[in-house]
Amino acid sequence: MTLILFPLIQGRVPRETAQGPPPVDLPPAAVQFGDDTFYLACCGGNVDLEVPLPTPLRQWIPVCFALDLQRRAIRLLVAGAVKEYPLATLAELALVVRGGGLLVMGQDQDSYGGGYIESQSFSGILVDFLLFDRLLPDKDLIAFGECRAMSTAASPIVSFSNVERDFRSENVEVERMRKQDVCDPQRKDILIFPELRPFEEAKRLCNISGGELEVPESEEQDWSLFNKCVPYAKFCNTGSMTNFWLGVKGNVTTQTWYHYITGKVLNYTDSSLKRFTIEEPTTCVAFVGDNKTNANQHANWDSVDCQEERCPLCYLNEVVFLKARGLCSESLFDRDYFLTTDNGAVTFTGVYYSMITRYFPSQDNDTGESDYGHWVLSRLDKPSVRATLQMDSPTHYPLGRQEWIVDNDVCGVDTMVIMMTVCKEHQFSCDDGYCVRIQQRCDMEVDCPDGSDEMGCEFLTLDLSYNSDNPPPRLDATKPVEIKLHIDIFAIRKIDVTNFRFTCEVEVTMEWFDSRLRFRHLNYASELNSLTGLERQPWRPRLEFLGDRNTASDVQERRVTLSVRRYTTPLRDNDEEVLESEIFEGGENGLLMVQKLTVTTPCQFNLEMFPFDQQVCHLRLSLTGVTNQYVTFLADEKGIDFRGRKRLLEYQLVREAMVPHDQGNYSGVEVQLYLRNLSNFYITSTYVPTFIIVVIGYLVYFFPLANFNERVLVGLTGLLVEATFFSQTLSSSPPWVRKCWGPSSTAVPSVMHVPPIPLDQGRADRVDESRHRIRQKKKF
């Protein structure tokens, strides 16, 4: 037995029966295909076969198989080749197809000759049906699938040669189809929108419908396009010769015509177009698709102003499905649609039960308000279930984001926002229907023409049940939640030996995972995934900074940021949401908090060897509010980095380290800074200048006594300079140094400068007396 079907499937097998095998109470023979599976049952239930068979929607699919009961095998035509599958049955069972039954197509029989359920009907087009009572060779199966003549001389026992006479049908339309419409491998769909609009709007409409403006590539394609346009010419009457837009534009500079998307110069243009000089504003091209024009003008191209209005000719190079996003999971409306035309009107046909149809305004509307009609989304089998979209212009289509008024759907709402989009996986639907890459969503650059890709960019929305005071739940009750910690020290601003403290610039980076959270449209650059400005914040760790002997530190917060670090791919898209969103699990993508701080913390300096000492200062970080039973610190690979200058004025940072250091029941770490005193600082700033001044003071002894004033001036100057050096040095020295050096700061300069001051008293008196006499003589 050989069965040949040649259908174009416009809708799948209904959801109630598309999965799994048919009911167990099978008729003698049954064939079912749907969900890309071919299922055969026959011979009283002794044969059950299920094999893959791709059945894409809106494409011509030849379904041919030959059943060989003697060899217990079936040969099935799949993708242009015949494959044989054995029938898994017991060898002792006789396989017979009993006669006297019913031949039912497109309907599941729940009982013999009855039990038909409307929702389980096949929706599609069957172009031909041939049933032979003998086996056909493989070459005949392949020939039929390729629309070639078969070699067999046998006639089928059942066929579509006289459908009206041989078959009883319900809800079936019968019409003749041309062979080339079925067998043309270069299938080219042209979708014509019967409303006038400017070129830019026509381009946009084709784009959001999944196509592009048509550009014929030969004279043959011109005439084929003309024949398709003629029925629509009455809707697209512009009062001029041309009616329809083509996807062609002109370059005024190069005087060439090019494809409006690719920019490539066309190899073919209509001869009538070559007569025109390309000049502004007539740089667009329209097509003559009206058979009421002169015959020599049919299928001509003409250059026109891009602001004029024509009807779009949209070329679809593949089967295009529109997805209705925003429906609840239990909604009675279909989720997938394709565009069809009927009597000049464009209709959205669902793959199962739904349809979106345009209704024009009533002729007796005398309210004075603009009424452009409305679109109705309805169920074919449940007319009371419907949704209505009021049109705001004559060219308004239910594409992109629209708000519908809903009646009798199960979602429990009166209005519903539905996004009708052709965007595919890994794409984002703009509100106006355009598609951009999903990675361009919320990347701080506007990519949608309407800017909607940068709207609603909240990376995190917390549920009302989320408690930000509680830490993330432990995935393992025996292990605490880990917070990965890294500390960067950018500078040690001051080492205050006098007050036993130091000040540093610190950046603390913490990363943890919270399985209660879900994030949206994350970028790989964590800086773009900021949560800092959210009104409600997720849980974040609170830190306490301590110095030596757990003394409190002074902390000045410079900057705090909270963001998300992406590690994984997003979860599967949920079409219940109006907009495509890449959703990420919080348990797999980390929260990243960065704190930039200025910390002044105590340090117990050991100054017994000052200024040839070495010090170790400690900075301790401890979690507060949650014990280490639930949350603990875990240093990353490096733990700590010092990014500043290690050689300071008085000390040099030799080494830095970070070690675990819990504070009681609270997790913590300790930062250790190893410092070496730069004794050269004190030598060059104190000892050397002091020695120089001592030498200068000593040299005063050798000044002549006649230069008494100069000796006193140099001595006092040296005393003042030395006192200044000592006071500066002591101000930055530890207390015990001040106690030891304090007396020296006055004694040494005094001793150093006292010897030059006393003079030979007798000689001085004689000098003064002689000077006095000289003055007296001069007076008299």
Side-chain angles (χ1 to χ4, degrees):
M1 180 181 71
T2 301
L3 175 67
I4 297 178
L5 300 173
F6 210 154
L8 168 65
I9 307 170
Q10 289 187 337
R12 297 189 184 278
V13 175
R15 279 168 281 192
E16 290 86 351
T17 60
Q19 298 179 356
V24 294
D25 52 342
L26 292 173
V31 177
Q32 179 181 358
F33 60 95
D35 275 1
D36 296 336
T37 302
F38 173 88
Y39 186 87
L40 171 69
C42 79
C43 314
N46 293 324
V47 172
D48 288 321
L49 179 67
E50 184 175 344
V51 297
L53 178 65
T55 55
L57 295 176
R58 299 284 293 168
Q59 294 187 34
W60 296 110
I61 304 297
V63 181
C64 307
F65 71 90
L67 180 62
D68 189 344
L69 297 181
Q70 288 186 346
R71 297 181 58 247
R72 297 176 180 264
I74 182 175
R75 301 198 311 277
L76 178 66
L77 180 64
V78 179
V82 176
K83 296 183 179 180
E84 182 171 297
Y85 299 93
L87 302 178
T89 61
L90 297 176
E92 61 272 14
L93 294 178
L95 300 182
V96 179
V97 177
R98 293 181 286 113
L102 295 175
L103 176 60
V104 179
M105 289 185 292
Q107 182 63 61
D108 178 31
Q109 296 184 74
D110 289 342
S111 61
Y112 180 76
Y116 302 138
I117 300 175
E118 186 178 19
S119 61
Q120 296 177 348
S121 299
F122 168 78
S123 176
I125 300 175
L126 290 175
V127 175
D128 204 353
F129 177 84
L130 302 175
L131 178 62
F132 294 88
D133 58 356
R134 65 192 65 193
L135 292 174
L136 296 184
D138 292 351
K139 63 178 181 179
D140 281 349
L141 300 183
I142 296 174
F144 187 84
E146 297 176 351
C147 293
R148 295 184 288 107
M150 294 186 294
S151 61
T152 181
S155 298
I157 57 175
V158 181
S159 70
F160 276 178
S161 59
N162 195 334
V163 176
E164 292 87 349
R165 182 196 65 190
D166 296 338
F167 289 86
R168 180 170 61 87
S169 60
E170 296 181 10
N171 298 323
V172 175
E173 297 180 1
V174 179
E175 62 181 39
R176 291 189 174 275
M177 297 191 68
R178 299 181 305 172
K179 184 176 181 180
Q180 57 267 32
D181 291 336
V182 178
C183 299
D184 185 5
Q186 302 298 327
R187 181 171 178 262
K188 192 171 187 178
D189 283 347
I190 301 295
L191 184 64
I192 303 176
F193 290 91
E195 297 89 21
L196 300 172
R197 62 191 73 217
F199 179 82
E200 288 298 321
E201 289 190 21
K203 180 176 71 173
R204 169 188 168 276
L205 183 60
C206 287
N207 180 285
I208 65 178
S209 302
E212 60 187 55
L213 287 172
E214 167 67 344
V215 180
E217 298 178 351
S218 64
E219 186 176 354
E220 180 182 358
Q221 291 186 13
D222 274 341
W223 285 107
S224 175
L225 184 62
F226 176 80
N227 292 330
K228 294 178 180 179
C229 289
V230 168
Y232 295 86
K234 60 183 179 181
F235 304 105
C236 303
N237 184 8
T238 62
S240 65
M241 178 179 64
T242 58
N243 316 77
F244 305 93
W245 285 120
L246 297 179
V248 180
K249 295 203 72 176
N251 188 312
V252 176
T253 304
T254 61
Q255 289 294 301
T256 55
W257 299 100
Y258 62 91
H259 194 286
Y260 81 109
I261 294 179
T262 65
K264 293 183 179 180
V265 176
L266 301 182
N267 295 323
Y268 169 79
T269 57
D270 180 66
S271 58
S272 60
L273 196 62
K274 299 177 181 178
R275 301 193 305 265
F276 298 100
T277 300
I278 305 175
E279 56 186 6
E280 295 289 352
T282 57
T283 57
C284 289
V285 176
F287 184 75
V288 179
D290 190 351
N291 60 0
K292 295 183 180 179
T293 58
N294 294 331
N296 59 352
Q297 296 176 336
H298 292 178
N300 280 0
W301 300 14
D302 191 13
S303 62
V304 297
D305 187 344
C306 298
Q307 298 302 317
E308 294 183 14
E309 295 185 339
R310 302 290 188 274
C311 289
L313 295 174
C314 299
Y315 160 56
L316 309 180
N317 61 353
E318 62 181 358
V319 178
V320 176
F321 288 94
L322 295 100
K323 180 175 289 292
R325 300 185 60 92
L327 300 172
C328 69
S329 59
E330 297 83 12
S331 177
L332 300 177
F333 297 118
D334 286 347
R335 286 177 141 73
D336 297 298
Y337 298 81
F338 50 87
L339 293 171
T340 58
T341 55
D342 185 18
N343 296 324
V346 176
T347 302
F348 296 71
T349 303
V351 298
Y352 291 112
Y353 318 108
S354 301
M355 182 172 290
I356 304 176
T357 309
R358 178 177 179 177
Y359 288 83
F360 290 90
S362 173
Q363 298 294 330
D364 56 357
N365 180 18
D366 56 357
T367 62
E369 299 180 359
S370 298
D371 184 5
Y372 302 106
H374 56 276
W375 292 91
V376 173
L377 169 60
S378 60
R379 285 264 309 205
L380 299 178
D381 58 335
K382 298 178 181 179
S384 63
V385 179
R386 53 188 286 148
T388 305
L389 173 66
Q390 197 69 32
M391 296 175 61
D392 57 21
S393 72
T395 59
H396 183 188
Y397 276 83
L399 296 168
R401 183 171 183 156
Q402 309 286 348
E403 185 171 351
W404 296 73
I405 300 174
V406 183
D407 295 317
N408 301 320
D409 194 17
V410 297
C411 295
V413 294
D414 297 329
T415 60
M416 184 183 300
V417 176
I418 300 176
M419 173 74 77
M420 192 68 68
T421 175
V422 297
C423 299
K424 301 178 181 179
E425 190 176 6
H426 307 306
Q427 288 186 321
F428 173 77
S429 302
C430 306
D431 285 355
D432 57 7
Y434 273 97
C435 302
V436 297
R437 291 184 298 110
I438 192 66
Q439 291 80 7
Q440 294 174 306
R441 168 81 161 132
C442 295
D443 64 350
M444 303 183 73
E445 294 183 359
V446 175
D447 300 290
C448 290
D450 59 1
S452 56
D453 61 310
E454 297 302 317
M455 298 178 183
C457 289
E458 292 80 12
F459 295 99
L460 173 65
T461 302
L462 297 177
D463 294 335
L464 294 176
S465 60
Y466 185 89
N467 188 348
S468 58
D469 293 328
N470 292 340
R474 296 176 294 177
L475 301 181
D476 185 344
T478 63
K479 297 180 180 179
V481 175
E482 294 178 345
I483 298 179
K484 188 179 294 185
L485 177 68
H486 182 85
I487 297 177
D488 290 296
I489 301 178
F490 290 96
I492 298 178
R493 295 178 60 183
K494 184 178 181 181
I495 297 179
D496 189 352
V497 180
T498 304
N499 297 306
F500 289 87
R501 63 186 180 184
F502 71 97
T503 302
C504 57
E505 297 289 339
V506 177
E507 186 175 87
V508 180
T509 301
M510 292 177 286
E511 183 181 12
W512 68 97
F513 299 87
D514 192 338
S515 60
R516 299 171 296 175
L517 302 178
R518 280 194 170 186
F519 308 110
R520 294 176 179 270
H521 36 258
L522 296 180
N523 296 278
Y524 280 106
S526 58
E527 296 81 5
L528 299 178
N529 305 327
S530 176
L531 305 180
T532 305
L534 291 181
E535 183 177 352
R536 291 186 63 204
Q537 293 283 324
W539 177 88
R540 58 172 67 185
R542 295 191 297 271
L543 299 180
E544 182 180 18
F545 290 80
L546 303 171
D548 284 339
R549 299 180 182 176
N550 294 332
T551 52
S553 301
D554 295 330
V555 180
Q556 185 177 1
E557 191 173 84
R558 303 290 185 179
R559 173 174 54 87
V560 178
T561 61
L562 182 65
S563 58
V564 185
R565 179 174 284 171
R566 174 178 171 178
Y567 289 105
T568 64
T569 56
L571 301 175
R572 186 175 181 180
D573 181 40
N574 180 12
D575 64 5
E576 292 183 50
E577 298 189 4
V578 176
L579 299 177
E580 295 90 345
S581 292
E582 290 187 311
I583 300 177
F584 301 82
E585 290 286 2
E588 299 174 352
N589 299 272
L591 286 163
L592 189 69
M593 186 168 75
V594 180
Q595 293 179 288
K596 189 69 175 291
L597 310 166
T598 299
V599 182
T600 300
T601 189
C603 178
Q604 297 297 319
F605 292 102
N606 183 4
L607 300 173
E608 293 180 359
M609 299 298 295
F610 185 88
F612 304 100
D613 55 301
Q614 294 186 1
Q615 308 293 338
V616 180
C617 291
H618 304 91
L619 173 63
R620 292 169 182 153
L621 284 72
S622 174
L623 280 172
T624 63
V626 56
T627 63
N628 53 15
Q629 180 183 0
Y630 298 96
V631 180
T632 185
F633 276 137
L634 177 68
D636 66 0
E637 295 180 0
K638 291 186 177 180
I640 184 171
D641 278 322
F642 187 89
R643 300 182 179 275
R645 184 177 179 181
K646 293 190 175 184
R647 187 179 181 87
L648 309 175
L649 184 62
E650 302 175 25
Y651 283 88
Q652 179 173 353
L653 179 65
V654 178
R655 184 169 65 91
E656 66 280 352
M658 186 170 73
V659 296
H661 188 90
D662 290 354
Q663 294 292 118
N665 292 329
Y666 297 95
S667 180
V669 297
E670 180 179 86
V671 176
Q672 301 171 348
L673 301 179
Y674 293 83
L675 304 169
R676 185 180 72 242
N677 198 321
L678 297 175
S679 55
N680 292 337
F681 168 76
Y682 292 96
I683 293 174
T684 58
S685 64
T686 303
Y687 297 117
V688 172
T690 300
F691 175 76
I692 293 174
I693 292 175
V694 169
V695 171
I696 294 173
Y698 178 74
L699 293 177
V700 173
Y701 281 109
F702 300 96
F703 280 31
L705 292 177
N707 298 332
F708 172 76
N709 293 334
E710 288 79 1
R711 295 177 70 178
V712 173
L713 180 62
V714 172
L716 291 176
T717 302
L719 177 63
L720 293 174
V721 171
E722 186 65 21
T724 302
F725 274 124
F726 272 98
S727 62
Q728 289 179 351
T729 303
L730 291 175
S731 65
S732 60
S733 300
W736 72 269
V737 175
R738 291 199 297 270
K739 291 179 181 179
C740 296
W741 286 13
S744 303
S745 64
T746 55
V748 173
S750 299
V751 172
M752 182 180 66
H753 295 291
V754 166
I757 295 176
L759 301 173
D760 185 343
Q761 191 64 42
R763 181 180 178 185
D765 291 341
R766 290 194 295 270
V767 171
D768 290 340
E769 183 179 356
S770 64
R771 289 178 179 175
H772 179 68
R773 289 182 186 145
I774 293 171
R775 292 194 194 99
Q776 286 180 342
K777 289 179 180 181
K778 288 182 179 180
K779 182 177 182 182
F780 294 102

